Amino acid sequence: MLLGAVADDLTGATDLSLTLSREGMKTVQVVGVPGGPGEFGDAEAVVVALKSRTIKAVDAVSQSIASAERLLDAGARQLVFKYCSTFDSTDEGNIGPVTEALLQLLGDTATIACPAFPTNGRSVYQGHLFVGDRLLSESPMKDHPLTPMRDSDLVRVLQRQTKIGVSLIPLKIVSARASAIASALKERRGIVVVDAVSDADLRAIGEAAATLKLVTGGSGIALGLPENFRRAGLLPPRPAGTGFSAPAGGAVILSGSCSQQTRRQVEVAITGGLRSIKVDPVAIADGSMTADAAVAFVAADPGEKPPLVYSSADPAAVKAAQETLGKAHAGTIVEEFLAEVATRLADKGFSRFIVAGGETSGAVVAALGVRAFEIGPEIDPGVPWVLSRGAERPVAMALKSGNFGSDDFFLKAWEHLQ
Ligand code: ADP
């Protein structure tokens, strides 16, 4: 193995795996802290998907360190810590504490932080994160159910999360390309936020990061890393591509994301003729909505088009549910519900799942007992179909981070499986 990565959620891990596989690295994604090198096969890159974005910082640190140790034991020469391109975190963490702990483990003094993902409209300029043409703090992320982002200044956000220094390499230096970035980096200690507004910027940053033991960022930060191994003669030139064959069986869409984009996708799917059932946390809590009812609805008439089970709701409805049930409980109750629906459907022979929402995907994958994936065809930027590896019942899944995918994602994703 050349590159090891720890991602703080499942859809983010998939997004990173896709980037690495597209750049020609044989990539395996493992769900949860790896058991040992046996799980990695002959992978050149291994991406560990944790569910550590919103857990306590101390737990996020211990899971990330345990994963990193397994990756290093298996020969990883460089580590990536992957988080969301919208920098989803709270003032307590977990991006700062995990970065700090990984740096310490690796015995290095500096790393970079760059969540930019220009293809999806995430750019960093003067240390400020933009979502499309809005500052992060004015984007729909300000209303995220678990990690509302109300400050766009990443140096400031990170400095609240960590004791080590945080500084900035601005676009002016990044535009002067890899050697300028590398020499700026040489003088820095701590976490260095790096501006990036294009893939060319990210590739230059990747090249400049060749000597760093730890790189942190969104999936875009990995664009330039495989080429470093190729330059060093460690990675053969290889066209990307996988032999992907989805198992036959029923198909369903489970959506627990409340992001603006997912809500739009739900609307377009329903208008486009998908049968749908809406669930909400209060109804689940008071027993008026049960997993039995949702499963019966899905299985009643599999039909031509896969049915949709969704809890996606607007910020006012999310707030109302959180006030009734408590913030954490409102989230968990939906995650557990959708995970149970998924396992019951798998028992009935369903083998093709689209899951919307990072946390939601984590819950569903864990419930299905899937431990590792291969990366398949890309549906939209950052969202591939994936195929379970070594699972008792093979499943094809598309795990969509809330903000990702075009409006007709739920309708068109299936075309790749024909
Ligand atoms: P995203 O990728 O959009 O961030 P996640 O699945 O990571 O989506 O997070 C969404 C969170 O909101 C989950 O914990 C989910 O269970 C919770 N949730 C889903 N529907 C509702 C709802 N109607 N009310 C309150 N919380 C909800």
Side-chain angles (χ1 to χ4, degrees):
M1 188 201 315
L2 298 170
L3 189 70
V6 179
D8 69 354
D9 94 330
L10 187 62
T11 50
T14 308
D15 179 11
L16 175 63
S17 300
L18 180 63
T19 304
L20 293 169
S21 126
R22 229 193 281 117
E23 295 296 318
M25 293 189 96
K26 223 179 284 166
T27 306
V28 163
Q29 184 176 326
V30 178
V31 184
V33 177
E39 291 181 15
F40 306 150
D42 61 350
E44 289 155 337
V46 172
V47 179
V48 176
L50 298 180
K51 196 172 181 309
S52 57
R53 185 171 292 170
T54 55
I55 61 177
K56 281 199 196 115
V58 58
D59 297 329
V61 166
S62 74
Q63 290 181 23
S64 303
I65 292 294
S67 305
E69 284 171 344
R70 306 277 147 72
L71 294 167
L72 294 169
D73 286 349
R77 292 163 185 250
Q78 184 174 47
L79 293 186
V80 173
F81 171 38
K82 155 75 177 73
Y83 38 79
C84 191
S85 61
T86 44
F87 217 74
D88 303 16
S89 52
T90 63
D91 280 353
E92 293 75 47
N94 292 340
I95 296 175
V98 170
T99 302
E100 200 179 320
L102 288 172
L103 259 185
Q104 201 178 7
L105 174 77
L106 291 163
D108 210 351
T109 51
T111 185
I112 55 171
C114 182
F117 191 173
T119 319
N120 268 358
R122 277 55 153 169
S123 50
V124 183
Y125 179 62
Q126 303 295 11
H128 290 257
L129 180 54
F130 288 81
V131 177
D133 61 357
R134 313 306 303 170
L135 281 166
L136 175 69
S137 53
E138 292 171 19
S139 78
M141 277 307 296
K142 70 183 187 324
D143 297 317
H144 189 277
L146 305 173
T147 49
M149 296 303 292
R150 307 227 159 112
D151 187 356
S152 312
D153 181 337
L154 297 184
V155 173
R156 203 161 53 195
V157 172
L158 258 177
Q159 197 64 84
R160 282 197 290 267
Q161 299 180 7
T162 176
K163 296 183 292 300
I164 58 177
V166 184
S167 61
L168 173 71
I169 291 185
L171 193 63
K172 193 158 176 247
I173 294 176
V174 174
S175 306
R177 294 298 169 241
S179 56
I181 305 166
S183 58
L185 269 173
K186 262 198 207 109
E187 295 158 10
R188 305 295 180 95
R189 296 280 174 277
I191 308 175
V192 187
V193 174
V194 188
D195 279 355
V197 299
S198 68
D199 283 359
D201 293 339
L202 287 167
R203 286 184 191 278
I205 296 165
E207 188 181 339
T211 55
L212 296 181
K213 292 184 179 158
L214 175 68
V215 171
T216 86
S219 64
I221 203 60
L223 273 178
L225 299 180
E227 200 54 35
N228 292 337
F229 295 114
R230 218 165 265 131
R231 254 182 238 113
L234 297 165
L235 182 68
R238 187 184 311 109
T242 51
F244 188 87
S245 155
V252 67
I253 303 162
L254 303 172
S255 177
S257 161
C258 297
S259 76
Q260 198 177 49
Q261 185 55 15
T262 302
R263 284 184 282 124
R264 175 88 192 115
Q265 289 157 345
V266 165
E267 202 180 296
V268 168
I270 293 171
T271 316
L274 297 199
R275 290 194 316 119
S276 65
I277 179 166
K278 180 164 187 181
V279 300
D280 82 85
V282 177
I284 298 168
D286 71 19
S288 54
M289 169 56 69
T290 62
D292 275 347
V295 169
F297 174 85
V298 171
D301 171 23
E304 282 272 289
K305 295 177 181 170
L308 165 68
V309 182
Y310 70 103
S311 68
S312 314
D314 61 32
V318 169
K319 190 160 173 260
Q322 290 179 340
E323 274 164 13
T324 309
L325 299 168
K327 189 172 169 185
H329 189 49
T332 317
I333 209 168
V334 178
E335 290 171 31
E336 286 174 356
F337 180 91
L338 292 175
E340 189 181 344
V341 170
T343 42
R344 298 236 198 135
L345 289 171
D347 291 343
K348 287 180 181 291
F350 279 66
S351 63
R352 298 166 175 217
F353 296 82
I354 292 180
V355 189
E359 296 294 323
T360 309
S361 295
V364 169
V365 164
L368 291 178
V370 174
R371 290 281 307 149
F373 292 123
E374 282 162 34
I375 305 300
E378 186 171 22
I379 305 161
D380 269 327
V383 200
W385 278 103
V386 299
L387 185 65
S388 63
R389 254 170 71 109
E392 211 176 289
R393 292 180 301 220
V395 286
M397 310 183 91
L399 307 170
K400 191 193 80 70
S401 169
N403 301 310
F404 283 15
S406 60
D407 290 356
D408 59 350
F409 184 89
F410 293 149
L411 296 168
K412 73 171 188 188
W414 309 101
E415 290 162 15
H416 295 270
L417 294 189
Q418 300 313 318

